[in-house]
């Protein structure tokens, strides 16, 4: 049986939990209704059902950044940090769309 493809996957993501950076090359994965924030080595930073996640654009950063609340903890994700060819703002938009599509909320 084939594994289901993730609804969203991004690598090279800067993951910050105010006020410090947790990783500069992390991974964000939405699969089977669950969001995972991972280090570059695949260790789980945080994880929750997408319906319990709040995500939105940040008003104080560039278009590649999103604000995220997972299990009551606030994070800032900056997409496309490690890949010069990645369009961080497009990835951020796809991420927000994937969160909404999987039942998460905006905010």
């Amino acid at each position: 049986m084939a594994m289901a493809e993730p609804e969203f996957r991004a690598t090279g993501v800067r993951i910050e939990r105010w006020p410090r950076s947790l990783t500069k090359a992390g991974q964000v994965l939405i699969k089977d209704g669950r969001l995972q924030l991972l280090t570059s080595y695949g260790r789980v930073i945080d994880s929750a059902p997408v319906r319990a996640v709040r995500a939105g654009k940040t008003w104080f950063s560039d278009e590649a950044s999103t604000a995220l609340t997972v299990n009551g903890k606030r994070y800032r994700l900056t997409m496309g940090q490690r890949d010069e060819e990645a369009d961080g703002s497009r990835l951020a938009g796809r991420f927000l769309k994937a969160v909404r599509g999987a039942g998460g909320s905006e905010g």
Side-chain angles (χ1 to χ4, degrees):
M1 177 184 281
M3 296 289 288
E5 287 294 313
E7 291 93 58
F8 180 84
R9 175 186 297 249
T11 58
V13 179
R14 177 186 212 95
I15 301 174
E16 297 171 286
R17 180 161 176 226
W18 287 285
R20 62 180 210 149
S21 177
L22 300 176
T23 181
K24 294 179 181 178
Q27 303 172 53
V28 178
L29 181 65
I30 297 175
K31 184 175 178 180
D32 299 328
R34 190 157 191 85
L35 175 127
Q36 288 188 314
L37 302 177
L38 308 165
T39 67
S40 57
Y41 300 107
R43 186 179 56 93
V44 175
I45 295 170
D46 211 337
S47 176
V50 178
R51 68 183 182 288
V53 169
R54 280 189 19 204
K57 293 299 290 171
T58 57
W59 56 270
F60 52 85
S61 295
D62 65 19
E63 291 293 311
S65 294
T66 59
L68 183 67
T69 303
V70 179
N71 297 320
K73 299 178 200 133
R74 294 180 52 194
Y75 296 93
R76 182 171 69 175
L77 309 179
T78 306
M79 306 286 177
Q81 290 289 285
R82 306 284 291 189
D83 184 356
E84 293 172 8
E85 297 197 13
D87 182 346
S89 60
R90 188 176 67 77
L91 277 171
R94 282 186 45 231
F95 170 71
L96 293 174
K97 185 177 178 181
V99 168
R100 284 190 308 270
S105 62
E106 268 188 87

